[in-house]
mmCIF file of all heavy atoms in Angstrom:
data_model
loop_
_atom_site.group_PDB
_atom_site.id
_atom_site.type_symbol
_atom_site.label_atom_id
_atom_site.label_comp_id
_atom_site.label_asym_id
_atom_site.label_seq_id
_atom_site.Cartn_x
_atom_site.Cartn_y
_atom_site.Cartn_z
ATOM 1 N N TRP T 76 121.807 -60.376 46.409
ATOM 2 C CA TRP T 76 120.501 -60.756 46.874
ATOM 3 C C TRP T 76 120.611 -61.282 48.324
ATOM 4 O O TRP T 76 121.392 -62.226 48.580
ATOM 5 C CB TRP T 76 119.930 -61.824 45.993
ATOM 6 C CG TRP T 76 118.516 -62.204 46.347
ATOM 7 C CD1 TRP T 76 118.138 -63.316 47.106
ATOM 8 C CD2 TRP T 76 117.309 -61.504 46.004
ATOM 9 N NE1 TRP T 76 116.781 -63.301 47.239
ATOM 10 C CE2 TRP T 76 116.255 -62.232 46.598
ATOM 11 C CE3 TRP T 76 117.076 -60.360 45.267
ATOM 12 C CZ2 TRP T 76 114.935 -61.814 46.414
ATOM 13 C CZ3 TRP T 76 115.778 -59.930 45.141
ATOM 14 C CH2 TRP T 76 114.722 -60.662 45.707
ATOM 15 N N THR T 77 119.860 -60.778 49.251
ATOM 16 C CA THR T 77 119.883 -61.148 50.631
ATOM 17 C C THR T 77 118.515 -61.659 51.050
ATOM 18 O O THR T 77 117.515 -61.286 50.450
ATOM 19 C CB THR T 77 120.323 -59.958 51.543
ATOM 20 O OG1 THR T 77 119.334 -58.927 51.358
ATOM 21 C CG2 THR T 77 121.675 -59.444 51.199
ATOM 22 N N TRP T 78 118.522 -62.546 52.073
ATOM 23 C CA TRP T 78 117.302 -63.125 52.630
ATOM 24 C C TRP T 78 117.505 -63.398 54.119
ATOM 25 O O TRP T 78 118.595 -63.655 54.565
ATOM 26 C CB TRP T 78 116.971 -64.400 51.907
ATOM 27 C CG TRP T 78 115.535 -64.858 52.082
ATOM 28 C CD1 TRP T 78 115.128 -65.930 52.839
ATOM 29 C CD2 TRP T 78 114.369 -64.247 51.546
ATOM 30 N NE1 TRP T 78 113.731 -65.984 52.791
ATOM 31 C CE2 TRP T 78 113.283 -64.992 52.020
ATOM 32 C CE3 TRP T 78 114.176 -63.114 50.719
ATOM 33 C CZ2 TRP T 78 111.975 -64.650 51.620
ATOM 34 C CZ3 TRP T 78 112.882 -62.810 50.362
ATOM 35 C CH2 TRP T 78 111.745 -63.554 50.860
ATOM 36 N N PRO T 79 116.424 -63.338 54.885
ATOM 37 C CA PRO T 79 116.570 -63.505 56.347
ATOM 38 C C PRO T 79 117.246 -64.882 56.669
ATOM 39 O O PRO T 79 116.997 -65.903 55.989
ATOM 40 C CB PRO T 79 115.168 -63.444 56.873
ATOM 41 C CG PRO T 79 114.460 -62.615 55.864
ATOM 42 C CD PRO T 79 115.078 -62.902 54.583
ATOM 43 N N ASP T 80 118.033 -64.923 57.721
ATOM 44 C CA ASP T 80 118.707 -66.112 58.135
ATOM 45 C C ASP T 80 117.706 -67.131 58.668
ATOM 46 O O ASP T 80 116.968 -66.888 59.612
ATOM 47 C CB ASP T 80 119.736 -65.787 59.193
ATOM 48 C CG ASP T 80 120.590 -66.951 59.611
ATOM 49 O OD1 ASP T 80 120.501 -68.008 58.883
ATOM 50 O OD2 ASP T 80 121.379 -66.878 60.583
ATOM 51 N N PRO T 81 117.601 -68.345 58.047
ATOM 52 C CA PRO T 81 116.623 -69.307 58.499
ATOM 53 C C PRO T 81 116.956 -69.945 59.838
ATOM 54 O O PRO T 81 116.078 -70.554 60.490
ATOM 55 C CB PRO T 81 116.576 -70.366 57.364
ATOM 56 C CG PRO T 81 117.938 -70.264 56.747
ATOM 57 C CD PRO T 81 118.324 -68.859 56.857
ATOM 58 N N ASP T 82 118.232 -69.850 60.298
ATOM 59 C CA ASP T 82 118.619 -70.487 61.561
ATOM 60 C C ASP T 82 118.540 -69.560 62.759
ATOM 61 O O ASP T 82 118.780 -70.014 63.885
ATOM 62 C CB ASP T 82 120.082 -71.001 61.410
ATOM 63 C CG ASP T 82 120.203 -72.020 60.309
ATOM 64 O OD1 ASP T 82 119.211 -72.736 60.083
ATOM 65 O OD2 ASP T 82 121.260 -72.093 59.691
ATOM 66 N N ALA T 83 118.263 -68.251 62.533
ATOM 67 C CA ALA T 83 118.193 -67.339 63.643
ATOM 68 C C ALA T 83 116.829 -67.244 64.186
ATOM 69 O O ALA T 83 115.825 -67.510 63.501
ATOM 70 C CB ALA T 83 118.703 -65.955 63.157
ATOM 71 N N GLY T 84 116.715 -66.842 65.501
ATOM 72 C CA GLY T 84 115.426 -66.651 66.079
ATOM 73 C C GLY T 84 115.153 -67.544 67.293
ATOM 74 O O GLY T 84 115.950 -68.448 67.642
ATOM 75 N N GLN T 85 114.010 -67.335 67.949
ATOM 76 C CA GLN T 85 113.659 -68.043 69.169
ATOM 77 C C GLN T 85 112.758 -69.223 68.936
ATOM 78 O O GLN T 85 112.768 -70.176 69.684
ATOM 79 C CB GLN T 85 112.969 -67.057 70.133
ATOM 80 C CG GLN T 85 113.845 -65.835 70.538
ATOM 81 C CD GLN T 85 115.049 -66.226 71.333
ATOM 82 O OE1 GLN T 85 114.999 -67.210 72.071
ATOM 83 N NE2 GLN T 85 116.098 -65.481 71.211
ATOM 84 N N PHE T 86 111.923 -69.190 67.922
ATOM 85 C CA PHE T 86 110.997 -70.256 67.654
ATOM 86 C C PHE T 86 111.170 -70.773 66.257
ATOM 87 O O PHE T 86 111.656 -70.060 65.367
ATOM 88 C CB PHE T 86 109.562 -69.858 67.915
ATOM 89 C CG PHE T 86 109.122 -68.661 67.139
ATOM 90 C CD1 PHE T 86 108.503 -68.800 65.932
ATOM 91 C CD2 PHE T 86 109.368 -67.352 67.571
ATOM 92 C CE1 PHE T 86 108.135 -67.714 65.181
ATOM 93 C CE2 PHE T 86 108.998 -66.249 66.835
ATOM 94 C CZ PHE T 86 108.372 -66.409 65.619
ATOM 95 N N THR T 87 110.740 -71.983 65.995
ATOM 96 C CA THR T 87 110.933 -72.602 64.690
ATOM 97 C C THR T 87 109.823 -72.164 63.736
ATOM 98 O O THR T 87 108.697 -71.857 64.122
ATOM 99 C CB THR T 87 110.883 -74.134 64.802
ATOM 100 O OG1 THR T 87 109.633 -74.547 65.376
ATOM 101 C CG2 THR T 87 112.022 -74.614 65.719
ATOM 102 N N SER T 88 110.169 -72.124 62.439
ATOM 103 C CA SER T 88 109.236 -71.748 61.406
ATOM 104 C C SER T 88 109.658 -72.437 60.097
ATOM 105 O O SER T 88 110.888 -72.583 59.838
ATOM 106 C CB SER T 88 109.235 -70.261 61.245
ATOM 107 O OG SER T 88 108.407 -69.863 60.110
ATOM 108 N N PRO T 89 108.721 -72.874 59.296
ATOM 109 C CA PRO T 89 109.126 -73.513 58.076
ATOM 110 C C PRO T 89 109.951 -72.611 57.116
ATOM 111 O O PRO T 89 110.757 -73.147 56.344
ATOM 112 C CB PRO T 89 107.750 -73.881 57.396
ATOM 113 C CG PRO T 89 106.778 -73.946 58.549
ATOM 114 C CD PRO T 89 107.240 -72.924 59.499
ATOM 115 N N ILE T 90 109.804 -71.333 57.188
ATOM 116 C CA ILE T 90 110.539 -70.463 56.352
ATOM 117 C C ILE T 90 111.593 -69.664 57.126
ATOM 118 O O ILE T 90 112.200 -68.733 56.585
ATOM 119 C CB ILE T 90 109.612 -69.488 55.573
ATOM 120 C CG1 ILE T 90 108.726 -68.715 56.591
ATOM 121 C CG2 ILE T 90 108.778 -70.234 54.587
ATOM 122 C CD1 ILE T 90 107.872 -67.697 55.920
ATOM 123 N N GLY T 91 111.818 -70.004 58.387
ATOM 124 C CA GLY T 91 112.791 -69.313 59.163
ATOM 125 C C GLY T 91 112.183 -68.327 60.139
ATOM 126 O O GLY T 91 111.236 -67.597 59.774
ATOM 127 N N THR T 92 112.756 -68.284 61.378
ATOM 128 C CA THR T 92 112.144 -67.396 62.392
ATOM 129 C C THR T 92 112.469 -65.959 62.074
ATOM 130 O O THR T 92 111.654 -65.091 62.335
ATOM 131 C CB THR T 92 112.734 -67.771 63.764
ATOM 132 O OG1 THR T 92 112.529 -69.131 63.998
ATOM 133 C CG2 THR T 92 112.113 -66.948 64.867
ATOM 134 N N ALA T 93 113.640 -65.674 61.515
ATOM 135 C CA ALA T 93 114.040 -64.292 61.242
ATOM 136 C C ALA T 93 113.132 -63.693 60.180
ATOM 137 O O ALA T 93 113.068 -62.445 60.040
ATOM 138 C CB ALA T 93 115.503 -64.256 60.828
ATOM 139 N N PHE T 94 112.477 -64.504 59.423
ATOM 140 C CA PHE T 94 111.564 -63.956 58.359
ATOM 141 C C PHE T 94 110.493 -63.137 59.076
ATOM 142 O O PHE T 94 110.018 -62.126 58.511
ATOM 143 C CB PHE T 94 110.953 -65.107 57.634
ATOM 144 C CG PHE T 94 109.986 -64.714 56.533
ATOM 145 C CD1 PHE T 94 110.434 -64.435 55.257
ATOM 146 C CD2 PHE T 94 108.662 -64.611 56.781
ATOM 147 C CE1 PHE T 94 109.608 -64.089 54.264
ATOM 148 C CE2 PHE T 94 107.786 -64.209 55.791
ATOM 149 C CZ PHE T 94 108.252 -63.960 54.513
ATOM 150 N N TRP T 95 110.083 -63.539 60.312
ATOM 151 C CA TRP T 95 109.003 -62.785 61.015
ATOM 152 C C TRP T 95 109.604 -61.769 62.002
ATOM 153 O O TRP T 95 109.065 -60.659 62.125
ATOM 154 C CB TRP T 95 108.091 -63.796 61.752
ATOM 155 C CG TRP T 95 107.576 -64.891 60.905
ATOM 156 C CD1 TRP T 95 108.043 -66.181 60.790
ATOM 157 C CD2 TRP T 95 106.484 -64.787 59.990
ATOM 158 N NE1 TRP T 95 107.310 -66.872 59.871
ATOM 159 C CE2 TRP T 95 106.340 -66.067 59.408
ATOM 160 C CE3 TRP T 95 105.651 -63.769 59.636
ATOM 161 C CZ2 TRP T 95 105.389 -66.318 58.402
ATOM 162 C CZ3 TRP T 95 104.675 -64.030 58.642
ATOM 163 C CH2 TRP T 95 104.557 -65.265 58.102
ATOM 164 N N THR T 96 110.702 -62.153 62.667
ATOM 165 C CA THR T 96 111.177 -61.256 63.749
ATOM 166 C C THR T 96 111.912 -60.001 63.124
ATOM 167 O O THR T 96 112.065 -59.010 63.854
ATOM 168 C CB THR T 96 112.164 -61.995 64.643
ATOM 169 O OG1 THR T 96 113.236 -62.559 63.812
ATOM 170 C CG2 THR T 96 111.428 -63.189 65.377
ATOM 171 N N SER T 97 112.320 -60.073 61.885
ATOM 172 C CA SER T 97 112.982 -58.939 61.227
ATOM 173 C C SER T 97 112.090 -57.900 60.691
ATOM 174 O O SER T 97 112.529 -56.871 60.168
ATOM 175 C CB SER T 97 113.950 -59.442 60.179
ATOM 176 O OG SER T 97 113.238 -60.094 59.138
ATOM 177 N N LEU T 98 110.774 -58.182 60.729
ATOM 178 C CA LEU T 98 109.814 -57.243 60.102
ATOM 179 C C LEU T 98 109.841 -55.845 60.701
ATOM 180 O O LEU T 98 109.827 -54.841 59.958
ATOM 181 C CB LEU T 98 108.408 -57.834 60.151
ATOM 182 C CG LEU T 98 108.175 -59.046 59.250
ATOM 183 C CD1 LEU T 98 106.707 -59.565 59.467
ATOM 184 C CD2 LEU T 98 108.374 -58.647 57.779
ATOM 185 N N PRO T 99 109.857 -55.681 62.040
ATOM 186 C CA PRO T 99 109.956 -54.307 62.557
ATOM 187 C C PRO T 99 111.151 -53.528 62.122
ATOM 188 O O PRO T 99 111.062 -52.338 61.771
ATOM 189 C CB PRO T 99 110.006 -54.541 64.094
ATOM 190 C CG PRO T 99 109.305 -55.851 64.287
ATOM 191 C CD PRO T 99 109.702 -56.653 63.104
ATOM 192 N N GLY T 100 112.324 -54.220 62.026
ATOM 193 C CA GLY T 100 113.493 -53.506 61.588
ATOM 194 C C GLY T 100 113.472 -53.185 60.080
ATOM 195 O O GLY T 100 113.897 -52.127 59.664
ATOM 196 N N VAL T 101 112.901 -54.076 59.287
ATOM 197 C CA VAL T 101 112.753 -53.795 57.867
ATOM 198 C C VAL T 101 111.834 -52.627 57.606
ATOM 199 O O VAL T 101 112.140 -51.750 56.744
ATOM 200 C CB VAL T 101 112.264 -55.066 57.114
ATOM 201 C CG1 VAL T 101 111.926 -54.776 55.622
ATOM 202 C CG2 VAL T 101 113.288 -56.194 57.226
ATOM 203 N N VAL T 102 110.723 -52.540 58.329
ATOM 204 C CA VAL T 102 109.791 -51.434 58.153
ATOM 205 C C VAL T 102 110.418 -50.114 58.488
ATOM 206 O O VAL T 102 110.153 -49.043 57.870
ATOM 207 C CB VAL T 102 108.512 -51.662 58.994
ATOM 208 C CG1 VAL T 102 107.618 -50.492 58.954
ATOM 209 C CG2 VAL T 102 107.769 -52.933 58.479
ATOM 210 N N THR T 103 111.335 -50.081 59.515
ATOM 211 C CA THR T 103 111.953 -48.827 59.892
ATOM 212 C C THR T 103 113.140 -48.472 58.990
ATOM 213 O O THR T 103 113.792 -47.408 59.226
ATOM 214 C CB THR T 103 112.455 -48.917 61.318
ATOM 215 O OG1 THR T 103 113.341 -50.077 61.455
ATOM 216 C CG2 THR T 103 111.329 -49.111 62.312
#
Side-chain angles (χ1 to χ4, degrees):
W76 185 264
T77 58
W78 196 253
D80 186 8
D82 300 328
Q85 301 294 331
F86 57 92
T87 60
S88 174
I90 56 178
T92 305
F94 182 87
W95 306 101
T96 57
S97 62
L98 289 177
V101 172
V102 173
T103 57

